[in-house]
Amino acid sequence: LGACECLPKKTLSVDSIASSIEDTFVRGMHAKCPGCNASIQRSDACTYIQCNVRIEDKPCNTLFCYFCEKSIEFLPGSTWKSEHNENWKTRKDRCPLFLSSHPLLDNQPDEQQTAYFHYFKTLRLLKQLRTDFLQRNMESIPEGYCEAEWKSHLIEVWNDAMRRSNSF
């Protein structure tokens, strides 16, 4: 996007948006430990992860859900049960204990479940990033634009940023 008279004085940085999109692709392939913020990649069938990143020579040991990246605690006396996964099929605020239990992944071979999970997670994160981008930039419409024109311009900027980050 070059500078022209029709654009507002404060233009959006396509490179900055493309960088956010690239970060989202990376984030979709990992989970962030809520204890130490390290990027962790799943290597097991269970959605529980215990972070073993060492911080100042001590393991982090935060137990969290790979699905939603929230800390979890086991129920008293259990080495695997948590309220976090209880009734997950009927409650949207719960996560499955195993990726193979999720309806989008249950028919996939074990070795492909994680890849599909990362694919769907990345799509969800990109959708949220796009929604946030549009909402944030629709809060104040620059002078000289009607709402529909500005939204169309924002979508053009988003699409240009997606094309730039597509080489990632």
Side-chain angles (χ1 to χ4, degrees):
L1 292 171
C4 75
E5 293 173 24
C6 63
L7 291 176
K9 289 185 174 146
K10 182 184 172 199
T11 58
L12 302 165
S13 168
V14 175
D15 290 335
S16 172
I17 298 162
S19 178
S20 293
I21 290 169
E22 289 171 7
D23 290 346
T24 302
F25 279 114
V26 171
R27 198 169 147 226
M29 299 301 291
H30 300 86
K32 284 249 190 242
C33 171
C36 69
N37 219 22
S39 288
I40 310 288
Q41 192 163 37
R42 180 182 168 276
S43 63
D44 197 336
C46 182
T47 59
Y48 291 166
I49 300 285
Q50 185 166 15
C51 180
N52 61 7
V53 169
R54 298 189 76 72
I55 302 167
E56 296 179 13
D57 211 32
K58 293 181 181 179
C60 172
N61 284 335
T62 300
L63 184 64
F64 68 100
C65 175
Y66 193 76
F67 212 79
C68 69
E69 302 178 0
K70 291 182 182 173
S71 294
I72 55 175
E73 292 182 24
F74 290 138
L75 294 173
S78 177
T79 57
W80 66 274
K81 283 188 178 182
S82 167
E83 286 184 13
H84 185 77
N85 303 95
E86 227 172 70
N87 303 319
W88 73 269
K89 286 185 179 182
T90 57
R91 293 187 56 183
K92 293 207 178 245
D93 64 333
R94 306 289 188 190
C95 299
L97 180 57
F98 298 98
L99 290 183
S100 60
S101 301
H102 195 282
L104 289 172
L105 307 171
D106 65 348
N107 292 325
Q108 303 303 324
D110 289 347
E111 64 275 2
Q112 289 184 341
Q113 288 173 357
T114 301
Y116 278 109
F117 169 74
H118 288 146
Y119 172 78
F120 289 120
K121 179 182 178 185
T122 301
L123 289 179
R124 178 180 52 80
L125 291 171
L126 284 170
K127 181 179 177 185
Q128 186 60 52
L129 184 67
R130 183 180 187 270
T131 298
D132 292 348
F133 166 75
L134 290 174
Q135 284 177 345
R136 186 175 56 252
N137 288 291
M138 287 300 290
E139 287 174 359
S140 62
I141 299 168
E143 198 175 314
Y145 278 94
C146 70
E147 186 175 331
E149 290 171 330
W150 180 239
K151 186 171 185 176
S152 177
H153 172 69
L154 291 175
I155 291 169
E156 252 182 67
V157 169
W158 174 266
N159 291 338
D160 190 28
M162 283 293 288
R163 282 188 290 279
R164 286 188 190 187
S165 62
N166 218 9
S167 60
F168 185 79

